[in-house]
Amino acid sequence: LSAKGRGVRAARGLVGQKWRLATMALQVDARMLHWVFKVANRTDTMKFYEKVLGMKVLRHEEFSEGCAASCNGPYDGKWSKSMVGFGDESTHFVVELTYNYGIKYYELGNDFGFIKIRSSKAIEAAKQQEYEGESDGNGGLFVKAPGGYTFYLVPGEAAGDPVEEICFYVADLQRSMDYWHGLLGMASVEATSETALLRYSADTEGTKCALRLKLLPGGVELNHAGASGRIAFSCPADQLPGVEKSIKEKGHTIVTPLVSLDTPGKATVQVVILADPDGYEICFVGDEAFRELSQIDPEGPNLVAEAIAADGSDAYFEKKAQKAAARAAAAAAGSTG
């Protein structure tokens, strides 16, 4: 079946399967929290999020060894995470920037689409600071952050959280809808032959962000590569065992069974990590402890700056940039010689 055919089947199937899917869905009071990006250059990354997007560092945490739930990816060494966003994590969809010490590059796949933000200020800032961007033809701009991750900036100013969507690509839209809508219980806001938009009802009380699933072009295989991210949701802690049990009963993947994760000096949270049919990792975390863990830390920006200074990785990227500039100059001289 072609990609277009799969998409058409998805759009038609949603109507016919509405009630069947509803009876299969998890009964979970979930809200969308954040997306995880792996980053290699913290200095340039922070500059982009703060000076272009207008986000702020909400909290920063350092860890001496790899996460028991692979929050930092398949790495066992020292790592950090910096939560950045437009406001409190209880009412805003934010970004988790994961940094693995010693890792200087992550290969991008074709899985992640974009995060959509409504902000005319960000569009202007991106243009002024000459970040690579592509117009959408309607005043919006697709701009790449350091590391290559795309943000879709659209004109206007939001009354609340400016983050409106997170989009990633899927191989089979019907299969993905069976999982995200039919099993995980996300409400279908819109669906066409090529894309679907979903959200949890609890998101109407907090973040406005919705999840967009977009069908890959026909013949293109989904590739997560080394930069693959993870999406996180919270729900009451007493619902986590039910989430794990339901996923197991339906024969889907549990990446990390229910486990407690410690953060030095902060709350301990319980999480269970799932994987959808395309291999996207999905973290469900107990909401009560997460609200305690995710309190804004006024020292967050200072902690990030101190960690970057102590790391000394800026020297590596500066030398790399100098070598690239020298090669470009030599190539230019050779072409004119």
Side-chain angles (χ1 to χ4, degrees):
L1 190 64
S2 69
K4 184 175 181 180
R6 294 196 305 269
V8 171
R9 185 186 70 177
R12 292 173 177 170
L14 288 177
V15 177
Q17 300 185 65
K18 179 178 179 181
W19 299 112
R20 178 177 70 82
L21 292 174
T23 60
M24 293 169 57
L26 288 173
Q27 300 301 309
V28 60
D29 302 312
R31 62 187 179 96
M32 195 183 297
L33 299 177
H34 57 255
W35 175 262
V36 179
F37 285 127
K38 298 186 187 78
V39 301
N41 187 328
R42 284 190 292 190
T43 297
D44 288 352
T45 297
M46 289 300 176
K47 177 184 176 183
F48 176 82
Y49 281 88
E50 293 179 325
K51 303 301 183 183
V52 176
L53 299 183
M55 292 184 177
K56 297 179 180 179
V57 176
L58 305 174
R59 55 187 172 99
H60 176 81
E61 293 141 12
E62 296 278 334
F63 302 86
S64 59
E65 59 184 17
C67 174
S70 301
C71 304
N72 60 315
Y75 305 97
D76 295 327
K78 182 180 178 182
W79 66 288
S80 75
K81 67 177 176 182
S82 305
M83 309 302 294
V84 297
F86 292 101
D88 190 285
E89 291 178 61
S90 64
T91 55
H92 294 72
F93 183 84
V94 307
V95 174
E96 176 179 323
L97 302 175
T98 294
Y99 176 76
N100 289 288
Y101 284 83
I103 306 299
K104 306 301 183 184
Y105 170 76
Y106 295 100
E107 179 186 0
L108 292 176
N110 62 358
D111 52 354
F112 178 76
F114 55 78
I115 289 179
K116 180 181 178 182
I117 297 174
R118 185 166 299 279
S119 174
S120 295
K121 292 180 180 178
I123 294 173
E124 186 60 29
K127 292 178 179 178
Q128 288 181 350
Q129 298 180 47
E130 299 181 344
Y131 278 88
E132 178 185 352
E134 179 181 345
S135 172
D136 70 349
N138 294 304
L141 186 69
F142 291 93
V143 61
K144 292 187 180 297
Y149 306 116
T150 300
F151 284 80
Y152 180 24
L153 310 178
V154 296
E157 299 301 330
D161 185 6
V163 182
E164 295 186 347
E165 293 179 11
I166 176 168
C167 168
F168 47 74
Y169 288 93
V170 299
D172 184 321
L173 190 55
Q174 177 64 67
R175 183 181 67 177
S176 293
M177 287 297 287
D178 285 346
Y179 186 89
W180 291 89
H181 172 58
L183 179 56
L184 296 189
M186 297 191 78
S188 176
V189 179
E190 65 179 59
T192 71
S193 63
E194 305 293 335
T195 186
L197 193 68
L198 307 101
R199 61 161 38 97
Y200 278 116
S201 58
D203 288 333
T204 60
E205 302 170 6
T207 173
K208 298 177 181 177
C209 188
L211 170 62
R212 181 172 295 281
L213 305 176
K214 199 167 184 178
L215 186 66
L216 273 173
V220 177
E221 292 188 6
L222 186 68
N223 177 22
H224 292 289
S228 60
R230 173 185 286 181
I231 195 164
F233 301 87
S234 72
C235 68
D238 61 6
Q239 293 181 355
L240 291 174
V243 171
E244 182 177 25
K245 179 181 178 182
S246 294
I247 296 300
K248 284 182 178 179
E249 289 177 346
K250 298 298 188 298
H252 289 283
T253 302
I254 303 287
V255 177
T256 304
L258 188 60
V259 64
S260 294
L261 299 181
D262 296 326
T263 298
K266 296 187 178 181
T268 296
V269 297
Q270 288 186 305
V271 305
V272 59
I273 312 296
L274 322 175
D276 84 340
D278 284 307
Y280 286 102
E281 293 191 358
I282 308 154
C283 173
F284 276 88
V285 57
D287 187 70
E288 300 88 344
F290 184 80
R291 286 181 184 272
E292 182 181 345
L293 169 68
S294 62
Q295 294 295 311
I296 294 176
D297 181 1
E299 287 299 309
N302 293 333
L303 293 175
V304 173
E306 291 171 3
I308 292 174
D311 179 25
S313 60
D314 279 356
Y316 166 85
F317 287 107
E318 183 177 351
K319 184 179 292 185
K320 183 178 179 181
Q322 290 173 349
K323 289 181 178 179
R327 288 195 298 268
S335 65
T336 58

